[in-house]
Structure formats: C-alpha cells, structure tokens
Amino acid sequence: MIPRLHERTHAPRDPLAEALGRPVSPDEGLTEHTVVGHWPGLDNYTFDDEEMTWTSVQWAEHLEDPLLEHPFAVSPDDDRRAILHLDVRLHPDDRDLTGPEWAEVAHRLARAAGIEIPGKENGCRWIAVQAQPRRLDLIANLIHLDGAWHAPPPDVLRRLAAEARRIEEDLQLIPVRAARSAPTSRLAPTASAQLASVLTQLADEQAGPLATVRGLVEHVAHRIASRPGAASVGTAHRLELIARRLHAIQQDLDATATDLVQPRVAATSSAVQRPIHRAL
C-alpha cells in the first residue's frame, strides 16, 4: 500500500475528477459505495430523511464552500491553495477490500494526515472516494468552518507511510518492501538481481534518495510560489517540472529493475525443462 500526496490546489473539481477517473457531473450520484468516508460534521448538514446520494458536482461544491465563505483565509505562507489530495493504492496481488475496510483505511489515513481530529466535528471538510480498482482518494479543504487554516504536520508523508504499514499488517495486505523483493527472492543472488536491488532502492517512493530530493524540490517550489512576482511563479513552475522528471526517473528505474530479473526467470525455467525433455 503506497500513499501519495499531491500538490495542493485552489479547487476540488480536478482532484475529484482524478479520483473518479472521469469528469465531475451534475447528473451522476455518488452513493456510499463510492464515497466511503467523510468528515463527521457532515451529518449536521443533512436532514434525517434526506438520502445521502449527492452528485459529484455537489460533493465538489461542498468541499469548496469554506474557500468561498472565508475569502481571506490563507496559510502561514499566504497560500490560498487549500485543497489537499492524497491517494493510496494496493499491490496488484492484494485481495479486494470490502466497503467497511475501505472506510477504515480512509479514517485512519485522515487521522494520520492530521485532517481529522477525533471528537472535533467543525474541523476540515473531507471525503474519501473509492471509485477505481484498488485505489482510495482522500480530498480535504484545509480551511476550518470558523475560517482558521489547518496546517498539516510537517512530517505528514512519514506519518502516512507509517500508518500504511500498520494498515497492511492489520488487514493482512502485502507489505511494500515484501512486494518489491518478491521477484528476486526466488532466485539465486545473481549479478542482475543485485543490480536490480540497487535500482529498486533508488526508486523507492518512501525512503529512496530520489524521493528525498523530489520532496525537497517540491517544498522549495511551494515556498517560492507563495512569493509575489512573475519571476517567482516561473521559477516555481520550473521546479515543479523538475520534480515531475524526478518522479518519471523513479518509475523508469523501477521498470528497469523489473526487466533485469525477468529474463533470468525465463532462462532458469528453460534450463529446468530441458533435462526433463531429454530424459523422456
């Protein structure tokens, strides 16, 4: 289970569309099977006999309301991008989770990210969307109902990763590191397997050196973007592009590591079959 924190945005429609895998629509109702979790204060905004099947546009508007109601609310860095978006994905070999299990994952990640505080109903508005296979998206507005800005913990990524490991253990899912090492664990420690291991460590989304560099670049881009002036905007944009290229490099390294060990698996399989063929 790998959590990923997206860059904050000014509006929730694009994150919600990404979570759904399609554009938001005024005609598509999202049931409890899609919106598997939400902030506890939502119950105060619905009547007892009201059916909780809002359209995706209504959900987006609900998340956006604090931005409109508090037009002067900003972060400590004078940033108005209040929409936080994170997603988590299961390993391809993991079992399918039930609705209550997805809801549990949603609330645990919301607490780990600091956007849900148990017992506090007037905090951040957030929803958890499970619309695509093996994926959960959590979208929140960092502006409280009273206009206060909620700053996530500075080590939010570490907290999310740690909570993901605990969820894996509690729900008996495949751990990230076990999933990465599985292809080489069945083979003798060949040179290709050793090199693949090095590349896998470089590409690690949580603890790899490239992940650290990418996180620092994204942090600097965010800080520069909050400064006035067109030059700052341009510099921040270039840094964002650099961060994207770093992420692409991580993916390329991971794919290369897989390619290094797959041919060896095929060769080993052929070597085992040939003696059997001659014996017959």
Side-chain angles (χ1 to χ4, degrees):
M1 176 179 288
I2 302 176
R4 181 175 60 152
L5 190 63
H6 299 253
E7 182 180 0
R8 295 206 311 270
T9 60
H10 292 282
R13 290 203 175 205
D14 286 345
L16 183 53
E18 182 177 345
L20 293 171
R22 54 189 179 272
V24 298
S25 168
D27 303 317
E28 179 189 16
L30 302 183
T31 68
E32 62 183 4
H33 300 293
T34 301
V35 180
V36 296
H38 54 73
W39 66 296
L42 179 64
D43 294 337
N44 297 330
Y45 285 76
T46 59
F47 297 107
D48 293 337
D49 58 350
E50 182 180 357
E51 184 180 359
M52 269 305 301
T53 305
W54 292 357
T55 67
S56 52
V57 167
Q58 287 176 313
W59 280 113
E61 291 173 345
H62 175 75
L63 289 172
E64 192 173 22
D65 280 347
L67 275 163
L68 304 177
E69 295 172 359
H70 305 286
F72 302 108
V74 295
S75 73
D77 297 329
D78 294 326
D79 191 348
R80 277 281 289 174
R81 294 178 297 176
I83 303 301
L84 179 144
H85 177 204
L86 67 90
D87 71 69
V88 64
R89 303 168 192 242
L90 301 182
H91 185 269
D93 294 332
D94 267 324
R95 63 181 178 83
D96 293 330
L97 299 186
T98 65
E101 285 175 327
W102 278 121
E104 178 185 348
V105 172
H107 282 276
R108 289 177 65 167
L109 291 177
R111 288 193 292 271
I115 62 174
E116 177 179 294
I117 301 174
K120 186 172 184 178
E121 296 186 351
N122 61 345
C124 297
R125 291 187 179 186
W126 66 269
I127 63 172
V129 177
Q130 206 283 298
Q132 301 185 58
R134 323 188 77 76
R135 169 173 172 162
L136 180 79
D137 289 73
L138 195 149
I139 306 168
N141 192 319
L142 297 180
I143 300 176
H144 286 191
L145 301 186
D146 59 3
W149 183 281
H150 175 79
D155 60 343
V156 61
L157 277 175
R158 183 191 63 79
R159 295 189 182 202
L160 287 170
E163 187 61 30
R165 302 293 81 77
R166 287 189 286 268
I167 292 172
E168 288 169 350
E169 182 177 356
D170 293 344
L171 298 185
Q172 298 182 344
L173 301 175
I174 299 174
V176 171
R177 295 193 179 279
R180 288 183 176 274
S181 61
T184 58
S185 62
R186 297 187 297 269
L187 305 174
T190 63
S192 294
Q194 293 174 357
L195 293 173
S197 177
V198 173
L199 295 182
T200 299
Q201 293 176 29
L202 289 173
D204 193 297
E205 287 278 357
Q206 302 301 324
L210 288 178
T212 301
V213 173
R214 191 176 119 216
L216 291 172
V217 171
E218 290 173 343
H219 176 73
V220 173
H222 171 69
R223 295 296 299 270
I224 291 179
S226 65
R227 299 168 64 181
S232 297
V233 174
T235 301
H237 180 64
R238 287 197 299 274
L239 289 172
E240 290 170 359
L241 292 177
I242 292 172
R244 292 177 187 175
R245 290 201 295 271
L246 286 169
H247 185 244
I249 291 172
Q250 288 176 276
Q251 293 177 321
D252 289 343
L253 288 172
D254 202 22
T256 302
T258 301
D259 292 341
L260 274 173
V261 296
Q262 282 181 341
R264 177 59 181 168
V265 174
T268 304
S269 176
S270 300
V272 171
Q273 292 176 1
R274 279 195 295 271
I276 297 175
H277 178 73
R278 287 196 297 270
L280 295 175

